[in-house]
Amino acid sequence: MGNREDLMAGAKRCLYEKGYGRTTARDIATASGVSLAAIGYHFGSKDTLLNAAMIEAIGEMGEALGAVVYGANQVSEDPEVRFAAVWNGLRDVFVEHRGLWAAQFEALAQAGHNPELARALEEVQKEGRLGLAAVFQGVTEVPDNDEELARGTFYQILLAGYVAQWLAAPELAPDGFEFLRGLRLVSGSVLGADAGAPGAAATR
């Protein structure tokens, strides 16, 4: 790899191992095997590099999410069973990418004081929502319209909340069937009794 690629790889490694706020330019240079001066030459600043590395790493993690959802969608023709299987499978992704999940929450907390970071996160919101809409439907892409953005936003909120619970107390994070039960109850209270009716998939 060239220096630019080495820096990106080193920055991603630091995000996983040290988090967003604690990573220094020297940390990245050491992890990359590249000089400190190369950061400024290729990216302008440590923050610009770290932001770019986070966006790229999130994209790579999205591929892992997609693989889990694809596999879960093969387990049954029952959409409720598939829904539960997806969230059970995602726990393995949480374990594998724990450092990056934590770094994302850390970055979100700092975005209000870091305009460059806020812009970087804002720029990928729409793409991320459409990506989640596609992933959870088991397709490669979805049209850029209000319906798919709403679907993606819903999944984004579910995913962020699930990750936050898992990071805080993994033993208290719900399994897929508990998640399904909650969805059914909320849907029933909002959309009507039929949406909340229990089904066979509610039991383990």
Side-chain angles (χ1 to χ4, degrees):
M1 294 191 294
N3 283 357
R4 183 180 180 87
E5 291 76 16
D6 289 335
L7 286 167
M8 282 290 286
K12 285 188 285 187
R13 190 176 309 122
C14 287
L15 284 170
Y16 275 89
E17 295 176 358
K18 297 182 70 69
Y20 186 88
R22 292 189 301 139
T23 294
T24 66
R26 188 171 297 280
D27 290 331
I28 297 173
T30 299
S32 307
V34 176
S35 70
L36 276 170
I39 295 175
Y41 177 79
H42 288 286
F43 292 94
S45 70
K46 182 266 291 186
D47 287 345
T48 299
L49 167 56
L50 205 57
N51 295 342
M54 174 169 286
I55 299 304
E56 186 170 300
I58 291 172
E60 293 168 353
M61 184 171 61
E63 295 178 3
L65 291 174
V68 165
V69 175
Y70 176 81
N73 281 331
Q74 311 307 307
V75 302
S76 172
E77 294 184 358
D78 186 328
E80 292 191 355
V81 173
R82 292 200 304 268
F83 181 89
V86 164
W87 293 100
N88 282 333
L90 288 179
R91 288 182 296 182
D92 292 335
V93 179
F94 296 168
V95 173
E96 182 181 355
H97 298 276
R98 188 187 192 286
L100 182 59
W101 288 114
Q104 288 182 73
F105 278 91
E106 188 181 356
L108 287 171
Q110 296 190 29
H113 310 287
N114 186 331
E116 182 180 348
L117 173 60
R119 284 193 300 272
L121 294 173
E122 182 179 352
E123 287 172 359
V124 298
Q125 282 297 311
K126 183 177 183 180
E127 179 182 348
R129 289 171 180 174
L130 291 174
L132 286 173
V135 162
F136 278 91
Q137 293 179 83
V139 297
T140 55
E141 62 180 350
V142 294
D144 181 353
N145 58 37
D146 290 344
E147 180 177 303
E148 296 301 342
L149 283 170
R151 194 193 309 272
T153 299
F154 176 74
Y155 280 120
Q156 185 181 54
I157 292 168
L158 286 182
L159 185 60
Y162 199 9
V163 172
Q165 173 64 76
W166 184 84
L167 287 173
E171 69 280 3
L172 298 179
D175 66 18
F177 290 100
E178 291 171 317
F179 218 134
L180 174 62
R181 182 168 185 262
L183 177 65
R184 190 183 285 127
L185 290 169
V186 172
S187 297
S189 63
V190 174
L191 302 178
D194 290 343
T203 58
R204 300 172 197 270

